[in-house]
Amino acid sequence: MTTALITHAACLGHITPEGHPERVARLEHVLHGLEGKELKRVTAPLAAEDDLLRIHPKSYLDDLRDAQPDAGLIQLDADTFLSPGSIEAAYRGAGAMLRAVDMVLAGEVQNAFAAIRPPGHHAETDTSMGFCLFGNAALAAKYALDHHGLSRVAVVDFDVHHGNGTQDILWAEKRALFISSQQLPLWPETGRADEDGAYGQIVNIPLKPETDGAAMRAAYQDKAFPRLREFAPELIIISAGFDAHRDDPLAQLNWTTPDYAWLTQKLCTIADEICDGRIVSTLEGGYDLNALTAATSAHVDELIKAGS
């Protein structure tokens, strides 16, 4: 068994304004950091419309396509933009997650990492926001449940910003456990502990500014890992944001690269215990290029170790 790296050059074609934190260089640096690693490299397909309709209404998909410019940039909200290549990038990103689920559940690989952009965990059912167009992690969960017939799927989101989109899409999906740690207060100002889903299947772990790796580890051991083991998902999906790193410019948590390695290793160990090691991970945030590269590399290294 091995680890799949799923990506597509089209994800570099999503352009944002000069100075925007979610920029092409992020993915370029991530891919450079993964060069030479023992990975099964896979080209991401385009997501099928029917699959995207599992989480987004047709009107939303149509509106996004209609809004995409032939040249220049279109601003959707305060920080979310469309360029001429954005829709293909988003469809390839979603397609990467679908292909990852197919490969992991078929036993072709032990686990998979989707190196994609734009990110996805802020995209709500019918609203793009926070740099995100499609809810990639939520899509993977729904696809695994409905297409592959799994009974239980878990999504673990350790991005510094709350995965409000994933929470919105999975709020009433009792077959999906959503565990999210995030700095609060911080945009989008959601993710309080009392936001627990229609069936109590959402676990939010708010962290105060300046929370370090030791406090993060204690919080996961106390609140996240027991719920994950209790739920016993057949697949774990990770929204892997690396902006809780102490060097990140958009937040104020103090995690380090070894903290990401520790957290990934623990999730892999739990996956081995409860779901034959099956993990699908997707790139979310992380805006200091050096920290992003190092932390992503450490994350993927742990996936490779688990898959070897």
Side-chain angles (χ1 to χ4, degrees):
M1 298 288 275
T2 187
T3 295
L5 171 65
I6 309 179
T7 189
H8 197 282
C11 293
L12 299 170
H14 168 60
I15 307 301
T16 54
E18 184 71 24
H20 195 283
E22 205 298 284
R23 57 204 191 275
V24 173
R26 294 182 63 244
L27 184 55
E28 291 175 335
H29 277 68
V30 165
L31 294 175
H32 179 71
L34 299 180
E35 288 177 1
K37 295 188 186 296
E38 292 288 334
L39 294 160
K40 182 179 180 65
R41 296 170 189 272
V42 179
T43 299
L46 291 166
E49 193 87 349
D50 285 350
D51 286 320
L52 285 168
L53 291 173
R54 297 178 190 277
I55 62 168
H56 297 301
K58 186 175 186 302
S59 58
Y60 174 69
L61 302 180
D62 291 343
D63 287 348
L64 278 181
R65 280 192 297 266
D66 291 344
Q68 179 174 257
D70 295 325
L73 300 175
I74 293 293
Q75 188 168 6
L76 298 177
D77 66 14
D79 50 24
T80 308
F81 293 81
L82 290 179
S83 71
S86 296
I87 298 302
E88 182 180 357
Y91 271 76
R92 294 288 182 184
M97 291 300 284
L98 299 173
R99 182 74 179 107
V101 171
D102 287 341
M103 293 181 72
V104 169
L105 293 184
E108 295 179 47
V109 294
Q110 182 64 68
N111 51 50
F113 180 67
I116 57 175
R117 55 181 295 277
H121 72 150
H122 295 309
E124 298 184 343
T125 302
D126 57 2
T127 306
S128 59
M129 60 191 302
F131 316 157
C132 302
L133 301 180
F134 297 150
N136 297 317
L139 172 63
K142 290 287 286 182
Y143 180 71
L145 292 166
D146 295 341
H147 178 77
H148 284 280
L150 298 192
S151 298
R152 297 174 310 282
V153 173
V155 179
V156 179
D157 186 332
F158 54 71
D159 192 281
V160 78
H161 300 94
H162 181 236
N164 59 295
T166 307
Q167 177 171 289
D168 174 66
I169 294 167
L170 298 180
W171 184 265
E173 178 50 80
K174 62 183 176 182
R175 300 171 295 172
L177 172 69
F178 178 50
I179 299 174
S180 179
S181 64
Q182 54 277 333
Q183 179 183 323
L184 274 181
L186 187 68
W187 189 93
E189 304 299 342
T190 56
R192 301 184 315 274
D194 62 357
E195 298 170 27
D196 60 356
Y199 299 96
Q201 85 292 3
I202 290 175
V203 180
N204 278 303
I205 306 171
L207 302 172
K208 295 178 180 179
E210 308 303 330
T211 295
D212 63 11
M216 175 276 288
R217 297 181 190 211
Y220 268 84
Q221 288 174 320
D222 180 49
K223 299 174 182 177
F225 299 157
R227 285 295 301 272
L228 198 52
R229 288 187 168 98
E230 178 186 22
F231 190 74
E234 297 160 287
L235 172 69
I236 296 174
I237 297 162
I238 301 175
S239 272
F242 300 98
D243 39 5
H245 196 285
R246 64 185 179 189
D247 293 337
D248 198 90
L250 299 190
Q252 296 82 41
L253 295 191
N254 289 322
W255 301 9
T256 63
T257 296
D259 292 320
Y260 287 105
W262 177 88
L263 182 51
T264 306
Q265 188 273 326
K266 292 297 183 183
L267 291 172
C268 289
T269 297
I270 293 171
D272 283 340
E273 295 172 9
I274 61 180
C275 58
D276 297 322
R278 298 190 293 195
I279 289 178
V280 168
S281 177
T282 182
L283 180 64
E284 299 284 3
Y287 304 102
D288 178 273
L289 295 179
N290 291 331
L292 171 65
T293 303
T296 305
S297 181
H299 175 67
V300 173
D301 283 343
E302 293 300 326
L303 294 177
I304 293 170
K305 290 176 188 176
S308 62

